[in-house]
Amino acid sequence: MNLALWAVAGLMAVVCLIGSSKMFVPKEKLAASGGAATRWVEDFDPGALKAIGAVELLAATGLILPAALDVAPVLVPVTATGLVLLFAGALTVRLRRGERATIAGDLIYLALALFLAWGRFGPEPFTG
């Protein structure tokens, strides 16, 4: 179970690290880069996109570094819980925009974040 949770944390960290590019890529380029999957950025101003990117960068570090460095490892499930909220918000945006065809990725990431939060708060915490 511990290995599975580390694998999910690593995968989610990579996803968040890629998502943090919102901080640097212009809104127009983001909207054009992924077809229908990235049209949601049209509803947000550039500042909000940069903030979402910053949250994803913090999440990428919060999923790995606290446990790897053994400094406040409780931050890993707290970060995973924050990701649950982030992806619940992403699902809400997609549903409001009627983008049901592109919702699968967000559902998968939401499920992985839930699994990670449950696993690290419950059966496999870092503290003994």
Side-chain angles (χ1 to χ4, degrees):
M1 175 72 110
N2 187 44
L3 182 62
L5 289 167
W6 269 109
V8 168
L11 173 68
M12 293 301 293
V14 168
V15 166
C16 288
L17 198 56
I18 292 168
S20 71
S21 68
K22 292 176 192 73
M23 292 185 341
F24 311 107
V25 178
K27 177 181 175 176
E28 296 75 24
K29 191 170 182 182
L30 280 172
S33 67
T38 57
R39 294 280 160 69
W40 64 270
V41 301
E42 297 166 356
D43 290 352
F44 292 86
D45 63 64
L49 293 173
K50 288 184 188 323
I52 294 169
V55 166
E56 288 179 317
L57 182 61
L58 289 172
T61 58
L63 289 173
I64 303 297
L65 289 182
L69 299 176
D70 197 27
V71 176
V74 72
L75 290 177
V76 174
V78 170
T79 301
T81 303
L83 280 177
V84 168
L85 297 174
L86 180 76
F87 287 112
L91 285 171
T92 303
V93 168
R94 293 213 190 267
L95 288 172
R96 284 185 178 171
R97 288 181 53 88
E99 297 176 352
R100 286 169 176 60
T102 59
I103 209 166
D106 293 329
L107 282 171
I108 291 168
Y109 296 144
L110 175 65
L112 289 173
L114 274 169
F115 171 70
L116 186 56
W118 166 80
R120 289 302 183 203
F121 273 131
E124 285 289 332
F126 288 114
T127 57

